Amino acid sequence: MNDDVISRAPDAPGRPRQVWDALRVYFGLGLLGVLGLLWSLLAVPLYYLLPRRTGLTFGRWLIHTAFRWYLRTLSAIGACRFDLSALDALHGQPPMIVAPNHPSLIDAVLVISRLPGLACIMKADILDNPSLGAGARLARYIRNDALRNMIHLAVADLHAGHHLLLFPEGTRSTARPIGPVRGSVGLIAKQAQVPVQTVFIETDSPFLTKGWPLLQRPLLPITYRVRLGKRFDPPQDVQAFAVAIEAYFQDALADAMLPRLLPQGGATAPHCAAPTDDHDCTDV
């Protein structure tokens, strides 16, 4: 593995470094907001003008391209270091559920940036947001509000030949190395008769994990690394599958580079490297 993904104990930064880190963090957050706004302004008319299939294809390609450019920008300014190339092995493969652990809010951006055409299940309130949801609606991302409809749309998307991004935890990790796994991943895999490709996301920072205040400054650079795990066949028993896949993640991530679980009231340290012996710590 590359040297740039080895966690390390950080030195206490001086004042100039703190200011530079703050500028890079807020620039990164602001840039993502600007990209979302610009994309929404374009997506609103395209949603009504383009045929559904054309809008879906173009919408997902543009989100993929924008996220890939965004991560390259974060890398160029030294805010983050990424090792995501393992996901490239999934290009051109048959339909499947891509199922990562979910340590931070940026996880969906990481995966979508490497896999064009990927479907995504999103919170309904984000899809309904006039400024945030227009691009996702054009891409025909799937709402998570009504379980039956969500499963129906997810199965249809898989049958159309796409990959589906689905976090088994359903939210950012609430325990280290992974929170409780929900049954939806097994239910969709069973009904669509597609495999579940597990993915391991690692990071050396608690930035944007559960309990991290959005405007708190982390120590930079932040490292993100992705590895492919086992590919599970479509299950017959959904409940047993949820238990098995949670146990698999627990074992596979036992020594992974993951941040400590933060108190839900806020972060207590600007940067935490892992692994440690403590049991730790999105929502897309």
Side-chain angles (χ1 to χ4, degrees):
M1 190 58 63
N2 297 336
D3 291 340
D4 64 355
V5 296
I6 298 176
S7 59
R8 64 203 182 286
D11 297 326
R15 182 63 180 174
R17 171 66 181 275
Q18 292 177 9
V19 172
W20 175 228
D21 281 359
L23 289 174
R24 288 185 289 178
V25 168
Y26 300 136
F27 171 79
L29 293 173
L31 178 61
L32 188 59
V34 170
L35 286 175
L37 178 59
L38 293 176
W39 174 216
S40 293
L41 292 175
L42 176 63
V44 169
L46 291 180
Y47 181 84
Y48 297 101
L49 293 174
L50 295 178
R52 184 185 188 281
R53 189 171 187 83
T54 303
L56 180 153
T57 301
F58 178 70
R60 292 182 185 180
W61 173 84
L62 194 55
I63 291 174
H64 156 76
T65 303
F67 282 172
R68 194 167 183 119
W69 176 85
Y70 175 69
L71 296 186
R72 286 176 176 171
T73 301
L74 294 183
S75 181
I77 64 175
C80 300
R81 296 181 290 198
F82 301 103
D83 184 356
L84 312 178
S85 59
L87 291 168
D88 297 343
L90 303 181
H91 287 186
Q93 295 199 19
M96 69 182 72
I97 295 175
V98 179
N101 61 310
H102 201 358
S104 76
L105 272 175
I106 199 174
D107 298 333
V109 176
L110 303 180
V111 178
I112 294 172
S113 74
R114 307 298 294 205
L115 296 176
L118 188 72
C120 185
I121 294 178
M122 296 186 67
K123 284 187 172 182
D125 55 356
I126 296 179
L127 280 168
D128 291 337
N129 187 294
S131 60
L132 298 177
R137 290 194 297 272
L138 178 64
R140 269 63 182 190
Y141 284 169
I142 299 164
R143 304 168 61 91
N144 74 345
D145 51 353
L147 181 61
R148 180 175 297 181
N149 186 58
M150 180 192 78
I151 293 173
H152 171 75
L153 292 175
V155 170
D157 209 284
L158 287 161
H159 285 169
H162 304 129
H163 293 167
L164 173 68
L165 173 61
L166 180 59
F167 295 105
E169 299 163 270
T171 184
R172 281 172 293 174
S173 298
T174 56
R176 180 178 173 184
I178 191 172
V181 168
R182 300 183 181 182
S184 54
V185 61
L187 188 57
I188 294 172
K190 179 180 179 179
Q191 294 200 14
Q193 282 299 289
V194 299
V196 176
Q197 173 65 61
T198 56
V199 174
F200 307 132
I201 298 176
E202 300 180 54
T203 179
D204 63 352
S205 172
F207 183 57
L208 298 181
T209 58
K210 282 284 190 182
W212 183 271
L214 183 61
L215 296 181
Q216 179 157 331
R217 176 190 57 80
L219 181 64
L220 302 181
I222 300 171
T223 293
Y224 295 96
R225 174 174 63 197
V226 170
R227 298 181 287 120
L228 296 185
K230 177 181 176 181
R231 187 173 301 181
F232 289 80
D233 292 330
Q236 297 304 313
D237 185 326
V238 172
Q239 185 174 1
F241 179 78
V243 173
I245 201 171
E246 181 176 330
Y248 174 70
F249 271 106
Q250 291 279 0
D251 182 64
L253 292 172
D255 296 319
M257 180 177 63
L258 289 170
R260 297 183 181 91
L261 180 64
L262 297 173
Q264 294 303 295
T268 57
H271 193 287
C272 297
T276 72
D277 292 332
D278 302 322
H279 278 284
D280 167 42
C281 144
T282 260
D283 302 9
V284 177

